Amino acid sequence: MDAVNDAANHTAEPVPGAGSAGAAGDSDHPTGHRLFPRVTSFRSRRGAISATQEASWDRMWPVIGRDVSDDKLDADAWFGRPAPLIIEIGCGTGTATAAMAQAEPQFNLIGIEVYRPGLAQLVQRVEREGIDNIRLLRGDAVDVLENMIAPESLTGVRVFFPDPWPKARHHKRRLLQPATLSLIASRLKPGGVLHVATDHADYAEWIAEVGKGESQFIGMNEATGGDPEAYRENAPIGFERPITKFERKGLSAGSAITEFIWGKIES
């Protein structure tokens, strides 16, 4: 099933000159390009950008977009206001991203994605609909979290339908590893929320086990061993997310969606 954001995989167009090997194959990505690390949690993928999308990109990207770097992010300055900050990892073409931003104007929302054609669709929608609480970072999410996001600065992190990398030899490419959850936890404020969704049964089992091993988290819904009604009212972000037409197709075909919601323990 396609992801809630119309791109089930954390995708990236191939780097020119990279040859045929890449994240989608058995060998590691051959380049050292910052946007495309050797071992990735996303697949190589081509996509076209229309002339109108390119024009929108040229106008909007300098304002709402940045590439991954070592520069620490000053989110309040970038958005032009102080507000609770939520990061969405793998925002794809941004269908859900835009819907959540419009439904939650009280939050500053940053989408992280490597796939430029997908980002271009979201950039065009941001411009067309005048969505002013979205910013975009292009690069690998782990790189962004490690080098751009300050500890205990995030109110929420969302990871909807990450690539499951179903083959055992590719499990090392899965985004949600123990080290990644620890990194996410370190970037969340005490009381902050991590919300994950997957439609892949094996990956759901993997995520459940990884989550159990993260001592900084407490379960806030059934899949994480918690009672959502005990947390929903006072949680800093909502537990709901929009469902796109692609997810509805999967649900109609019998796909089961597993949602994981953890909160960072408050000391």
Side-chain angles (χ1 to χ4, degrees):
M1 188 188 79
D2 286 341
V4 67
N5 271 337
D6 304 350
N9 307 318
H10 294 291
T11 49
E13 69 269 33
V15 178
S20 59
D26 293 340
S27 57
D28 292 335
H29 206 290
T31 80
H33 194 287
R34 184 68 176 270
L35 293 177
F36 307 92
R38 278 189 87 245
V39 178
T40 66
S41 61
F42 47 84
R43 297 176 188 269
S44 294
R45 174 177 164 184
R46 293 187 182 275
I49 298 177
S50 70
T52 56
Q53 288 170 349
E54 193 70 58
S56 183
W57 181 282
D58 291 343
R59 289 188 297 267
M60 296 295 293
W61 187 257
V63 178
I64 69 168
R66 297 180 186 177
D67 287 344
V68 60
S69 72
D70 292 323
D71 296 330
K72 291 297 182 184
L73 189 68
D74 184 342
D76 289 354
W78 196 14
F79 283 88
R81 66 169 189 172
L85 181 61
I86 299 173
I87 278 183
E88 182 185 0
I89 296 175
C91 60
T93 59
T95 301
T97 311
M100 288 185 293
Q102 291 170 315
E104 302 170 331
Q106 71 273 28
F107 296 124
N108 290 339
L109 177 59
I110 294 177
I112 303 175
E113 179 60 68
V114 294
Y115 179 50
R116 186 169 179 264
L119 284 170
Q121 291 187 48
L122 179 52
V123 168
Q124 186 179 42
R125 180 169 178 179
V126 167
E127 182 180 39
R128 182 177 65 246
E129 299 182 14
I131 306 172
D132 59 8
N133 61 329
I134 288 179
R135 300 292 184 269
L136 301 170
L137 290 171
R138 187 179 182 220
D140 178 69
V142 172
D143 194 355
V144 169
L145 290 169
E146 285 180 338
N147 296 300
M148 301 186 74
I149 306 300
E152 297 192 351
S153 63
L154 303 177
T155 297
V157 174
R158 290 165 169 159
V159 188
F160 297 153
F161 302 96
D163 193 319
W165 292 103
K167 295 180 181 178
R169 67 178 182 271
H170 291 158
H171 284 182
K172 65 181 179 180
R173 301 179 185 274
R174 286 176 166 175
L175 173 69
L176 297 173
Q177 307 282 347
T180 310
L181 255 67
S182 293
L183 175 61
I184 290 172
S186 74
R187 274 27 183 184
L188 283 168
K189 295 179 177 181
V193 172
L194 170 62
H195 185 177
V196 178
T198 183
D199 63 347
H200 191 276
D202 177 68
Y203 201 8
E205 293 180 7
W206 169 288
I207 294 167
E209 287 302 311
V210 171
K212 287 178 184 176
E214 180 45 63
S215 62
Q216 298 178 80
F217 284 146
I218 185 171
M220 300 179 76
N221 74 333
E222 293 91 342
T224 58
D227 177 6
E229 298 311 315
Y231 296 101
R232 190 186 305 272
E233 184 175 346
N234 295 318
I237 68 173
F239 291 178
E240 304 303 320
R241 59 179 179 81
I243 298 176
T244 68
K245 62 181 180 181
F246 295 98
E247 186 176 352
R248 287 194 183 92
K249 287 181 181 179
L251 291 170
S252 297
S255 296
I257 310 299
T258 306
E259 311 257 356
F260 299 91
I261 304 176
W262 287 280
K264 183 174 179 178
I265 294 173
E266 299 185 65
S267 56

